[in-house]
mmCIF file of all heavy atoms in Angstrom:
data_model
loop_
_atom_site.group_PDB
_atom_site.id
_atom_site.type_symbol
_atom_site.label_atom_id
_atom_site.label_comp_id
_atom_site.label_asym_id
_atom_site.label_seq_id
_atom_site.Cartn_x
_atom_site.Cartn_y
_atom_site.Cartn_z
ATOM 1 N N THR A 593 -4.790 74.379 -9.295
ATOM 2 C CA THR A 593 -3.937 75.372 -9.971
ATOM 3 C C THR A 593 -4.118 76.771 -9.348
ATOM 4 O O THR A 593 -3.946 77.779 -9.966
ATOM 5 C CB THR A 593 -4.244 75.514 -11.448
ATOM 6 O OG1 THR A 593 -5.613 75.943 -11.652
ATOM 7 C CG2 THR A 593 -4.052 74.166 -12.182
ATOM 8 N N ASP A 594 -4.415 76.794 -8.019
ATOM 9 C CA ASP A 594 -4.582 78.080 -7.307
ATOM 10 C C ASP A 594 -3.485 78.175 -6.273
ATOM 11 O O ASP A 594 -2.933 77.121 -5.825
ATOM 12 C CB ASP A 594 -5.919 78.226 -6.648
ATOM 13 C CG ASP A 594 -6.155 77.111 -5.598
ATOM 14 O OD1 ASP A 594 -6.221 75.930 -5.971
ATOM 15 O OD2 ASP A 594 -6.245 77.459 -4.398
ATOM 16 N N PRO A 595 -3.107 79.383 -5.836
ATOM 17 C CA PRO A 595 -1.981 79.457 -4.825
ATOM 18 C C PRO A 595 -2.297 78.792 -3.490
ATOM 19 O O PRO A 595 -1.403 78.444 -2.761
ATOM 20 C CB PRO A 595 -1.800 80.982 -4.690
ATOM 21 C CG PRO A 595 -3.067 81.613 -5.243
ATOM 22 C CD PRO A 595 -3.568 80.662 -6.269
ATOM 23 N N ILE A 596 -3.586 78.745 -3.136
ATOM 24 C CA ILE A 596 -3.936 78.091 -1.886
ATOM 25 C C ILE A 596 -3.535 76.636 -1.881
ATOM 26 O O ILE A 596 -2.945 76.092 -0.933
ATOM 27 C CB ILE A 596 -5.416 78.285 -1.545
ATOM 28 C CG1 ILE A 596 -5.724 79.749 -1.399
ATOM 29 C CG2 ILE A 596 -5.828 77.527 -0.278
ATOM 30 C CD1 ILE A 596 -7.207 80.059 -1.133
ATOM 31 N N GLY A 597 -3.902 75.928 -2.921
ATOM 32 C CA GLY A 597 -3.560 74.535 -3.040
ATOM 33 C C GLY A 597 -2.057 74.289 -3.124
ATOM 34 O O GLY A 597 -1.497 73.368 -2.521
ATOM 35 N N MET A 598 -1.379 75.195 -3.827
ATOM 36 C CA MET A 598 0.082 75.080 -3.934
ATOM 37 C C MET A 598 0.741 75.247 -2.550
ATOM 38 O O MET A 598 1.611 74.471 -2.190
ATOM 39 C CB MET A 598 0.634 76.131 -4.905
ATOM 40 C CG MET A 598 2.110 76.097 -5.085
ATOM 41 S SD MET A 598 2.790 77.482 -6.024
ATOM 42 C CE MET A 598 2.495 78.830 -4.823
ATOM 43 N N MET A 599 0.336 76.254 -1.834
ATOM 44 C CA MET A 599 0.911 76.511 -0.496
ATOM 45 C C MET A 599 0.559 75.370 0.457
ATOM 46 O O MET A 599 1.389 74.987 1.299
ATOM 47 C CB MET A 599 0.433 77.832 0.035
ATOM 48 C CG MET A 599 0.947 79.022 -0.677
ATOM 49 S SD MET A 599 2.736 79.253 -0.670
ATOM 50 C CE MET A 599 2.942 79.549 1.126
ATOM 51 N N ALA A 600 -0.668 74.878 0.375
ATOM 52 C CA ALA A 600 -1.087 73.800 1.281
ATOM 53 C C ALA A 600 -0.314 72.535 1.046
ATOM 54 O O ALA A 600 -0.099 71.737 1.960
ATOM 55 C CB ALA A 600 -2.618 73.532 1.126
ATOM 56 N N LEU A 601 0.109 72.318 -0.216
ATOM 57 C CA LEU A 601 0.874 71.106 -0.538
ATOM 58 C C LEU A 601 2.389 71.284 -0.284
ATOM 59 O O LEU A 601 3.029 70.449 0.324
ATOM 60 C CB LEU A 601 0.638 70.713 -2.010
ATOM 61 C CG LEU A 601 1.471 69.487 -2.491
ATOM 62 C CD1 LEU A 601 1.107 68.232 -1.697
ATOM 63 C CD2 LEU A 601 1.218 69.269 -3.970
ATOM 64 N N ALA A 602 2.910 72.419 -0.705
ATOM 65 C CA ALA A 602 4.373 72.669 -0.592
ATOM 66 C C ALA A 602 4.817 72.948 0.829
ATOM 67 O O ALA A 602 5.883 72.478 1.213
ATOM 68 C CB ALA A 602 4.752 73.847 -1.497
ATOM 69 N N GLY A 603 4.004 73.620 1.625
ATOM 70 C CA GLY A 603 4.418 73.955 2.994
ATOM 71 C C GLY A 603 4.695 72.705 3.844
ATOM 72 O O GLY A 603 5.825 72.594 4.404
ATOM 73 N N PRO A 604 3.734 71.785 3.954
ATOM 74 C CA PRO A 604 4.073 70.574 4.761
ATOM 75 C C PRO A 604 5.200 69.735 4.223
ATOM 76 O O PRO A 604 5.974 69.174 5.016
ATOM 77 C CB PRO A 604 2.719 69.802 4.734
ATOM 78 C CG PRO A 604 1.679 70.842 4.449
ATOM 79 C CD PRO A 604 2.334 71.821 3.554
ATOM 80 N N ILE A 605 5.332 69.709 2.896
ATOM 81 C CA ILE A 605 6.438 68.861 2.332
ATOM 82 C C ILE A 605 7.793 69.494 2.725
ATOM 83 O O ILE A 605 8.726 68.750 3.009
ATOM 84 C CB ILE A 605 6.297 68.774 0.816
ATOM 85 C CG1 ILE A 605 4.997 67.954 0.471
ATOM 86 C CG2 ILE A 605 7.480 68.067 0.191
ATOM 87 C CD1 ILE A 605 4.780 67.818 -1.006
ATOM 88 N N VAL A 606 7.889 70.804 2.684
ATOM 89 C CA VAL A 606 9.161 71.449 3.046
ATOM 90 C C VAL A 606 9.478 71.125 4.488
ATOM 91 O O VAL A 606 10.616 70.859 4.893
ATOM 92 C CB VAL A 606 9.067 72.973 2.823
ATOM 93 C CG1 VAL A 606 10.298 73.690 3.434
ATOM 94 C CG2 VAL A 606 8.971 73.254 1.320
ATOM 95 N N ILE A 607 8.436 71.203 5.402
ATOM 96 C CA ILE A 607 8.679 70.913 6.766
ATOM 97 C C ILE A 607 9.124 69.431 6.965
ATOM 98 O O ILE A 607 10.047 69.150 7.723
ATOM 99 C CB ILE A 607 7.388 71.179 7.615
ATOM 100 C CG1 ILE A 607 7.058 72.668 7.551
ATOM 101 C CG2 ILE A 607 7.517 70.735 9.038
ATOM 102 C CD1 ILE A 607 5.753 73.059 8.218
ATOM 103 N N LEU A 608 8.473 68.536 6.261
ATOM 104 C CA LEU A 608 8.818 67.110 6.321
ATOM 105 C C LEU A 608 10.206 66.886 5.783
ATOM 106 O O LEU A 608 10.950 66.020 6.264
ATOM 107 C CB LEU A 608 7.797 66.300 5.591
ATOM 108 C CG LEU A 608 6.397 66.178 6.236
ATOM 109 C CD1 LEU A 608 5.443 65.414 5.311
ATOM 110 C CD2 LEU A 608 6.470 65.486 7.565
ATOM 111 N N TYR A 609 10.612 67.665 4.777
ATOM 112 C CA TYR A 609 11.954 67.537 4.193
ATOM 113 C C TYR A 609 13.028 67.868 5.225
ATOM 114 O O TYR A 609 13.975 67.122 5.403
ATOM 115 C CB TYR A 609 12.066 68.437 2.991
ATOM 116 C CG TYR A 609 13.489 68.674 2.543
ATOM 117 C CD1 TYR A 609 14.234 67.665 1.892
ATOM 118 C CD2 TYR A 609 14.132 69.886 2.804
ATOM 119 C CE1 TYR A 609 15.539 67.905 1.508
ATOM 120 C CE2 TYR A 609 15.423 70.139 2.408
ATOM 121 C CZ TYR A 609 16.139 69.131 1.788
ATOM 122 O OH TYR A 609 17.449 69.332 1.406
#
Side-chain angles (χ1 to χ4, degrees):
T593 64
D594 63 293
I596 297 178
M598 180 190 69
M599 293 295 297
L601 177 61
I605 295 179
V606 170
I607 295 174
L608 291 174
Y609 164 74

